[in-house]
Amino acid sequence: MLAVIGGSGLTQLANLDVSHREVLRTPYGEPSGAVTFGQICGHPVAFLARHGYGHTIPPHEVNYRANIWALCKRGATAIVSVASVGGIRADLRPGDLIIPHQILDYTWGRKMTYHEGRDSAVVHIDFTEPYDGALRALLIKAAGLTGVAVKDSAVYAATQGPRLETAAEINRYERDGADVVGMTGMPEAALARELNVPYAAINVVSNYAAGRADSLNGISFDAIDAVLQESMGHVRSIIESLVGCGDPSCS
Ligand code: HPA
């Protein structure tokens, strides 16, 4: 079963034929909200709103461990994360969709592993390629089939939030090699890897990053909302195509 984690601008999947919702408890606490189960084109899909259904949970307070655990335990064989980002790379514009391939992690203080505490063995995961290659390829193919243009690679910088960045921070991230910046990509990706669930992301560029282009003198939140509203239709089309164009289970 494909699971979709929706970020800002995607608190529900309009094309999901809902069968039921489940409030799930995990050893790590409560997920962001009830998991919605249903079908898209006859294929089972689960959906979870990362920030809660009322968009009340900020990025640094999301219980990433509970979210990934709950989806995995309820049968997710692949997770697609949808998240808005600021565009750093010069060719990226608001409204662009991206399937990122790498991550730089600047977050701190988040619960980032399932393996902690004196009683737990030390566990390291290979994270050379943070996103699942086969699932990324399926997403890129799905986008191609729908005619939705996506950029097929980008380095995602995960920042702590909830504030947006300073212009100097964005310059630093660019020097580090980042193409886009967002607040929720980590530890989500690493936790999915710890549980061995294939995980990939669709990033929606909602704004130029701080200090760049239209954001030279500040970032307009109204403009971000407008971009997200317009772009999520494309995201839904890609997901529809994904469930119909191949088995999203890549394990
Ligand atoms: N910075 C961090 N996170 C974001 C941004 C941004 O500019 N836009 C959307 N999410």
Side-chain angles (χ1 to χ4, degrees):
M1 176 183 64
L2 173 70
V4 176
I5 302 178
S8 300
L10 192 72
T11 50
Q12 55 182 1
L13 271 182
N15 49 356
L16 182 64
D17 187 7
V18 175
S19 63
H20 66 290
R21 295 189 170 81
E22 284 183 34
V23 176
L24 299 164
R25 310 247 177 269
T26 81
Y28 306 96
E30 288 187 19
S32 298
V35 178
T36 305
F37 294 89
Q39 297 201 330
I40 296 179
C41 317
H43 297 272
V45 173
F47 178 80
L48 178 62
R50 182 185 290 112
H51 300 286
Y53 289 91
H55 204 271
T56 52
I57 308 170
H60 62 294
E61 289 181 356
V62 170
N63 190 338
Y64 297 96
R65 292 198 302 184
N67 287 353
I68 297 293
W69 184 272
L71 293 174
C72 193
K73 292 300 153 193
R74 279 299 280 103
T77 51
I79 297 176
V80 170
S81 153
V82 181
S84 63
V85 293
I88 300 177
R89 208 170 70 202
D91 66 309
L92 298 178
R93 298 173 191 292
D96 282 354
L97 300 186
I98 296 164
I99 313 298
H101 73 293
Q102 273 295 335
I103 293 176
L104 292 166
D105 187 8
Y106 300 95
T107 65
W108 50 270
R110 301 182 181 190
K111 295 279 191 189
M112 86 293 263
T113 178
Y114 291 108
H115 307 286
E116 63 177 14
R118 284 285 177 96
D119 297 335
S120 173
V122 175
V123 175
H124 300 290
I125 50 164
D126 174 44
F127 208 44
T128 310
E129 300 296 334
Y131 300 104
D132 184 82
L135 187 55
R136 287 188 67 252
L138 281 175
L139 279 171
I140 292 164
K141 181 178 164 199
L145 289 172
T146 59
V148 174
V150 294
K151 313 263 185 195
D152 63 7
S153 65
V155 177
Y156 175 103
T159 59
Q160 180 68 357
R163 66 167 177 81
L164 294 173
E165 298 71 36
T166 67
E169 285 169 334
I170 293 299
N171 290 339
R172 172 194 168 198
Y173 300 155
E174 184 173 49
R175 286 194 300 274
D176 287 354
D179 298 313
V180 296
V181 58
M183 300 176 191
T184 56
M186 285 294 285
E188 204 172 77
L191 292 166
R193 180 63 52 83
E194 282 194 353
L195 296 187
N196 270 322
V197 199
Y199 173 100
I202 304 173
N203 290 157
V204 181
V205 179
S206 59
N207 56 283
Y208 293 102
R212 302 296 166 96
D214 289 358
S215 302
L216 188 62
N217 298 311
I219 293 177
S220 157
F221 295 99
D222 287 344
I224 287 182
D225 288 344
V227 171
L228 289 179
Q229 216 163 358
E230 200 172 311
S231 305
M232 286 309 164
H234 296 309
V235 170
R236 287 189 195 101
S237 303
I238 294 174
I239 290 167
E240 232 167 66
S241 170
L242 176 71
V243 294
C245 80
D247 180 3
S249 164
C250 310
S251 50

